[in-house]
Amino acid sequence: MTANPAPRRLPVVLRNPAFGTVWAAQVLTQAANRMFQVGVVWWLVGHATGGGDGRGLASGAFLAVSTLPAVALAPLVARVIARRPHRTVMASAAAVAGLVAAVTAGWTSLAAPPAFLAYAAALLLAGCQALFDPCLTTSVPELVDDADIEAATGFELATQSLAGLAGGLLGPLVVDAWDLTGIVAGCGGAYLLAAVLVFLTRFPREATGPGETAPSGDAPAQRTLRQILGDHPFIRRVLLCFTAVNVFTTAVYVVMPLYTRNVLHAQGSTVAALETALGLGTLLGSFTGARLPGSPTTIGGACLALMAVALGTPGVLADRPAAVVALVVAGWCVGVIGVRFVALFQRLVPTADKPGFFAMMQGLLGATFPLSSLVFGALGDHLSPRTLCLVQGAGLIPLAAALWWYGRRGAAPQDADGEDATTVSGAPAPEPAVPAAAAAGNAPLGEAR
């Protein structure tokens, strides 16, 4: 006798209206942030600098400014998240970003905007985003049941891909159509809508969140990232590896506009196509990464090697279709690595350490982005974009070998049963004593934020 199949459940974003609403707010904020970054870089390369010298350095400096708050404010962000209601923090951050964008839009509509205005707006918007993202990461247990945390994590990880896809597509097109005013006006509307959505959402478990007194009457002490990583040498080495990887991978946001202008001799629609290819690949990787057999270090090493080939391909073939396919592959590798390693970090980091860990992890990984943007931006004024593509690919090869070798040494953590926590059933195995928590927006190889 054949048993009736279990009824299919709706996705968690539909079954849980609170999580679905906050997730939609995250999509709006990250899409606005990505649209602003991509759009302004294209504005600097193709509009503001007038095609003269210094385009690479100008765009690299802008992207560096866009990532400084996540690095510089990481300790402050960790304290705010640990002590304030998450709903208030996220709604306030989105509202402030919306007001900054609205004021900037008003300024640019009245007069030709100076370049420094874009840098100042980027600094303020990035500061708000640096607070919103890790706060949402730690608030997921307040929104969903424990059994839904894995499903919620999948959607959280997909948010960055969706945002990159939408923002990367719209950014250059909006700049070509409505200049800088169109970009900041659209971003302002998205941020303010996100603030309203979060403000109107009730967090079912907010009473047990940060800032509340522990049952024993003593609030848990907040540990530094150094203390946390001291207990987890595996995580420490993996994070250092990905920090080095980010120097080469995040340079793609400087190289792509220069490649479009100087090699393909194309307009904003081509930048949008390349950004869309990268975002689509990342989205596919986010949904397929968990199905790949093997440990995270093995999968990660293989994906880094494949990404090295993909990022180097435009340097060999000066062809738009080849570049689009290469960026789809590179994005897929980013998505796979993010899913596998974020799921692993969820299970290895103690719950009490998660607010500080994810805020500081974002700062640690983001610290390389200003360096990458400035270095590759400056090199872009002296080397051809095709050469920069080859430099990106070559830089990833030894790091892919290092990650693979580290996994082969047997240095992966052990779960409660003594098995390799990174290789059980082809996906990270849960630690019974450490509940999982979401880590969206903090993937080891994340997009610029």
Side-chain angles (χ1 to χ4, degrees):
M1 184 175 179
T2 304
N4 292 329
R8 294 179 62 87
R9 303 181 70 194
L10 292 173
V12 65
V13 292
L14 299 179
R15 287 187 284 107
N16 188 322
F19 174 74
T21 303
V22 176
W23 178 73
Q26 185 191 31
V27 173
L28 286 170
T29 60
Q30 290 197 357
N33 190 47
R34 189 77 192 110
M35 183 173 72
F36 181 78
Q37 290 180 348
V38 176
V40 173
V41 167
W42 180 243
W43 179 72
L44 290 170
V45 169
H47 295 255
T49 57
D53 295 334
R55 292 177 299 180
L57 183 58
S59 57
F62 170 78
L63 289 174
V65 167
S66 299
T67 55
L68 284 177
V71 180
L73 300 180
L76 176 62
V77 167
R79 289 196 297 270
V80 171
I81 294 173
R83 298 174 184 177
R84 303 297 179 187
H86 295 155
R87 183 169 70 106
T88 302
V89 171
M90 286 189 287
S92 300
V96 171
L99 292 176
V100 169
V103 171
T104 304
W107 186 337
T108 59
S109 66
L110 296 176
F116 86 86
L117 180 62
Y119 289 82
L123 192 65
L124 294 174
L125 293 178
C128 295
Q129 198 70 41
L131 187 60
F132 189 98
D133 286 337
C135 185
L136 179 59
T137 295
T138 56
S139 70
V140 169
E142 301 171 16
L143 293 165
V144 302
D145 296 330
D146 184 74
D148 286 331
I149 286 182
E150 290 292 334
T153 299
F155 278 95
E156 291 284 320
L157 291 175
T159 302
Q160 186 173 316
S161 305
L162 290 172
L165 189 63
L169 175 63
L170 293 174
L173 299 179
V174 172
V175 166
D176 281 350
W178 296 293
D179 208 64
L180 191 62
T181 302
I183 283 288
V184 289
C187 291
Y191 277 121
L192 292 175
L193 178 57
V196 172
L197 290 177
V198 175
F199 179 77
L200 296 178
T201 301
R202 187 180 68 87
F203 285 36
R205 299 167 185 80
E206 192 172 20
T208 61
E212 297 295 328
T213 303
S216 63
D218 297 323
Q222 297 295 318
R223 301 202 299 163
T224 65
L225 182 65
R226 177 178 295 183
Q227 292 171 324
I228 297 170
L229 296 183
D231 295 338
H232 299 282
F234 174 78
I235 295 180
R236 180 177 67 247
R237 295 177 186 178
V238 168
L239 285 182
L240 290 176
C241 180
F242 283 130
T243 299
V245 167
N246 278 358
V247 173
F248 299 97
T249 57
T250 55
V252 72
Y253 303 112
V254 177
V255 175
M256 275 193 295
L258 295 174
Y259 188 87
T260 299
R261 175 65 72 183
N262 298 338
V263 177
L264 301 180
H265 306 291
Q267 301 301 316
S269 59
T270 298
V271 179
L274 297 178
E275 286 280 349
T276 301
L278 186 64
L280 180 61
T282 307
L283 185 62
L284 293 174
S286 298
F287 284 111
T288 60
R291 298 184 177 93
L292 297 178
S295 68
T297 50
T298 301
I299 294 297
C303 284
L304 286 181
L306 180 59
M307 195 188 308
V309 175
L311 292 180
T313 296
V316 178
L317 300 175
D319 179 69
R320 172 173 164 162
V324 169
V325 172
L327 288 177
V328 170
V329 174
W332 181 83
C333 294
V334 170
V336 170
I337 291 173
V339 166
R340 299 306 294 268
F341 281 93
V342 167
L344 180 63
F345 295 160
Q346 291 171 354
R347 290 171 167 83
L348 296 180
V349 178
T351 301
D353 290 334
K354 280 182 169 62
F357 173 78
F358 288 120
M360 294 302 293
M361 186 182 81
Q362 177 175 302
L364 176 65
L365 295 175
T368 58
F369 193 80
L371 173 65
S372 175
S373 300
L374 289 173
V375 170
F376 277 85
L379 289 176
D381 291 330
H382 303 282
L383 301 177
S384 72
R386 297 180 67 176
T387 301
L388 296 182
C389 292
L390 295 175
V391 171
Q392 284 184 274
L396 290 179
I397 293 175
L399 296 172
L403 185 62
W404 178 84
W405 177 77
Y406 180 58
R408 296 288 292 177
R409 288 181 58 204
Q414 305 291 313
D415 66 10
D417 297 324
E419 297 188 41
D420 186 345
T422 68
T423 58
V424 179
S425 303
E431 285 191 358
V434 183
N442 294 299
L445 301 181
E447 297 187 8
R449 289 189 302 277

